[in-house]
Amino acid sequence: MQESLLHILWEHQKLPYTGLVLITGEELQIWDPGIHNSNAGPDFLNARIVIAGILWAGHVELHFRSSHWNLHGHSTDPNYQNVILHVVWEDDKPVLGYHGRPMATLQLRDFVSKDTLAAIWDMQSLTSGFRINCQQDHHAVPIIIKEDWWYSLYRERLLHKANELRTWLAVSSNNWERVLFISLLKGFGLHVNGAAFLSLALKLDYSIVKKLGHDQLQLEALFMGMSGLIEAASKSDSYIGELQLAFQYQCTRFTLNRTGILQPVFLRLRPSNFPTIRLSQLSVLIVSQPRLFGKLISTFNRNQLHKLLSVSASSYWETHYTFGNLSKRKPRKVSAVFMDLLIINSLIPVQFTYAHAMGRNIWPQLRSLLESIPPENNHVLGNLSRLGMPPINALQSQALLQKYEHYCAKNHCLDCAIGRYLLKGI
């Protein structure tokens, strides 16, 4: 039995709609199986289930045997404190959750037939490779249709991001500088720590960031302290001691609290993307570039934007990636690839939304900027390239991501220009 089969069973709910019971005999209803988590932590996040008539919201962890919970150290790992259900194939041992209480456990072998398992195994074998419905035929679509579709897809993606920015604007009392700060901080977290950095940005009083914006150490102490990164650091390191003292004073002066801020993670990250490095780089950027909003909002040239965004983490991080652990001396400078990601995901949406609010059309400038940036590189775009859809610039890579996420993955071929062209001849 492979654990990946359990993931398919749970994610696609190949389980009976009624009659599910826990090993304790309590009735279980599954309202929402949650979102699959490809990073560190529980397997499925933000699930909703009903146990004996009581609604629970939290995370779900899957194992082949229940004893693997202890084997993997989950009972003492705070990342698993909000797990509400342990889904296993075989319940071989009672286990306790993070808070010392018995885990609610569902034993799948009581509810899944061998025929269902065999069918899932066959399906997984057939679809283990990356597939889209038009992968054999999209070459027949005229290039002019594709190019028009790429522009439409990107504008669709940009409008979606603009809606998120407007929610930030609403909670920021129409402070566009704070909206840019939120967007940049989220972008510095990339995919893995984006949510954690966003929670930090939304929690921080931007007026405090402005007050400390001339002092790099104070700003770094604020970001690191509010993210929970200096709480457990050793005081034997003089720089850590400086940050801790600075943050303690800030907590008193500004009545700070960390409630609601997600903890950044280090697992599955290259050291250059560690949250310590990225938060330091952002603090240096803010201090070294006064009037950052005005400069970024009106610049549409890639090289000029790179000059504005080109910073290195503070001197301590030249010999560290984490607190107290020495590494080979090297400037922790933001790379050209990372600056391009900030331009694509953090800056351009703000430029577009701000210009729209001011009644200006800057689409020609944004299009020119995007077409000057190399395409992004991730597993979805790599797979699409292998299927004959290689992007040639950032506009096309963003369009292809929109196409895959909102059309291909959902089988919405009739809503896709490529799908409609191919299907009209059937």
Side-chain angles (χ1 to χ4, degrees):
M1 166 68 70
Q2 294 187 3
E3 202 165 282
S4 61
L5 289 181
L6 303 187
H7 282 245
I8 294 173
L9 283 169
W10 181 258
E11 183 173 12
H12 299 283
Q13 285 297 288
K14 302 298 183 180
L15 303 172
Y17 288 109
T18 59
L20 292 176
V21 293
L22 303 179
I23 58 171
T24 55
E26 295 171 294
E27 182 182 358
L28 170 68
Q29 297 176 19
I30 303 166
W31 285 17
D32 185 342
I35 302 170
H36 184 252
N37 176 28
S38 58
N39 299 309
D43 293 314
F44 288 84
L45 307 179
N46 303 321
R48 291 190 301 157
I49 61 175
V50 175
I51 299 176
I54 300 175
L55 176 63
W56 294 78
H59 310 323
V60 176
E61 178 68 5
L62 280 71
H63 288 120
F64 175 57
R65 292 189 175 91
S66 57
S67 57
H68 291 177
W69 175 273
N70 293 332
L71 186 65
H72 297 167
H74 296 333
S75 58
T76 56
D77 187 341
N79 288 318
Y80 292 81
Q81 61 181 313
N82 292 323
V83 171
I84 56 174
L85 182 66
H86 193 201
V87 179
V88 302
W89 181 254
E90 178 186 351
D91 178 48
D92 66 327
K93 182 180 180 180
V95 296
L96 301 179
Y98 179 82
H99 300 289
R101 296 187 292 271
M103 285 296 305
T105 303
L106 174 67
Q107 182 171 255
L108 288 179
R109 71 177 187 183
D110 295 336
F111 305 101
V112 179
S113 69
K114 293 182 179 179
D115 289 342
T116 299
L117 280 180
I120 291 175
W121 176 260
D122 291 341
M123 178 187 68
Q124 187 184 37
S125 300
L126 288 171
T127 62
S128 57
F130 184 95
R131 299 173 61 86
I132 59 175
N133 292 337
C134 64
Q135 65 186 49
Q136 301 296 332
D137 305 306
H138 68 83
H139 303 88
V141 180
I143 188 66
I144 190 171
I145 292 178
K146 289 182 179 179
E147 289 182 345
D148 286 346
W149 185 224
W150 301 155
Y151 298 138
S152 296
L153 284 167
Y154 178 70
R155 289 182 70 96
E156 180 181 293
R157 191 171 186 84
L158 193 56
L159 287 169
H160 175 76
K161 292 180 179 181
N163 287 334
E164 183 179 28
L165 291 177
R166 291 187 184 100
T167 65
W168 300 344
L169 186 66
V171 300
S172 303
S173 301
N174 291 320
N175 187 330
W176 283 100
E177 285 191 66
R178 184 181 184 227
V179 171
L180 176 63
F181 168 73
I182 294 170
S183 189
L184 283 174
L185 186 43
K186 180 185 178 184
F188 267 83
L190 294 175
H191 177 70
V192 173
N193 279 316
F197 281 17
L198 176 59
S199 70
L200 170 64
L202 293 172
K203 178 74 174 184
L204 283 172
D205 183 338
Y206 186 64
S207 66
I208 298 174
V209 177
K210 295 281 284 184
K211 286 185 177 76
L212 304 178
H214 64 284
D215 190 322
Q216 191 277 324
L217 185 140
Q218 290 289 328
L219 204 54
E220 188 169 310
L222 177 68
F223 294 163
M224 301 281 190
M226 290 294 282
S227 296
L229 294 174
I230 60 176
E231 287 182 348
S234 170
K235 291 185 179 180
S236 61
D237 188 314
S238 61
Y239 185 67
I240 299 170
E242 288 183 72
L243 291 178
Q244 289 174 331
L245 285 174
F247 184 61
Q248 288 170 8
Y249 174 71
Q250 291 168 5
C251 287
T252 303
R253 180 184 176 188
F254 301 117
T255 318
L256 302 176
N257 72 81
R258 295 189 55 251
T259 304
I261 298 177
L262 302 176
Q263 185 85 19
V265 299
F266 291 79
L267 292 176
R268 303 184 187 180
L269 286 175
R270 294 177 179 177
S272 60
N273 286 329
F274 279 0
T276 45
I277 303 300
R278 292 309 187 194
L279 289 175
S280 178
Q281 289 168 339
L282 179 59
S283 67
V284 171
L285 175 63
I286 292 172
V287 172
S288 63
Q289 291 289 354
R291 299 178 295 278
L292 184 62
F293 176 82
K295 295 173 182 177
L296 291 180
I297 209 70
S298 58
T299 303
F300 304 99
N301 177 275
R302 180 181 178 234
N303 291 333
Q304 292 175 7
L305 287 170
H306 277 208
K307 289 180 181 179
L308 291 171
L309 296 170
S310 182
V311 294
S312 298
S314 58
S315 58
Y316 175 82
W317 301 106
E318 291 182 1
T319 54
H320 297 78
Y321 284 109
T322 56
F323 286 114
N325 298 309
L326 280 170
S327 61
K328 185 177 179 180
R329 180 176 292 275
K330 180 183 178 183
R332 314 303 188 199
K333 188 176 181 179
V334 294
S335 67
V337 171
F338 183 72
M339 287 188 280
D340 285 338
L341 289 175
L342 286 177
I343 294 169
I344 295 166
N345 297 308
S346 297
L347 178 56
I348 288 179
V350 178
Q351 290 177 322
F352 171 80
T353 311
Y354 178 76
H356 186 268
M358 299 297 110
R360 293 188 285 112
N361 175 26
I362 59 169
W363 171 244
Q365 295 99 307
L366 294 182
R367 175 175 170 179
S368 177
L369 173 56
L370 280 159
E371 290 178 339
S372 73
I373 299 174
E376 299 142 280
N377 181 23
N378 58 43
H379 74 282
V380 171
L381 293 170
N383 283 318
L384 288 173
S385 295
R386 283 189 286 275
L387 296 177
M389 287 188 181
I392 62 173
N393 54 47
L395 189 149
Q396 287 191 9
S397 64
Q398 284 281 291
L400 285 169
L401 289 172
Q402 184 75 3
K403 176 185 184 301
Y404 178 75
E405 293 167 5
H406 295 274
Y407 297 86
C408 303
K410 298 179 179 179
N411 291 316
H412 289 177
C413 302
L414 289 174
D415 298 321
C416 171
I418 292 175
R420 287 196 299 270
Y421 180 88
L422 294 171
L423 290 170
K424 71 179 182 181
I426 296 178

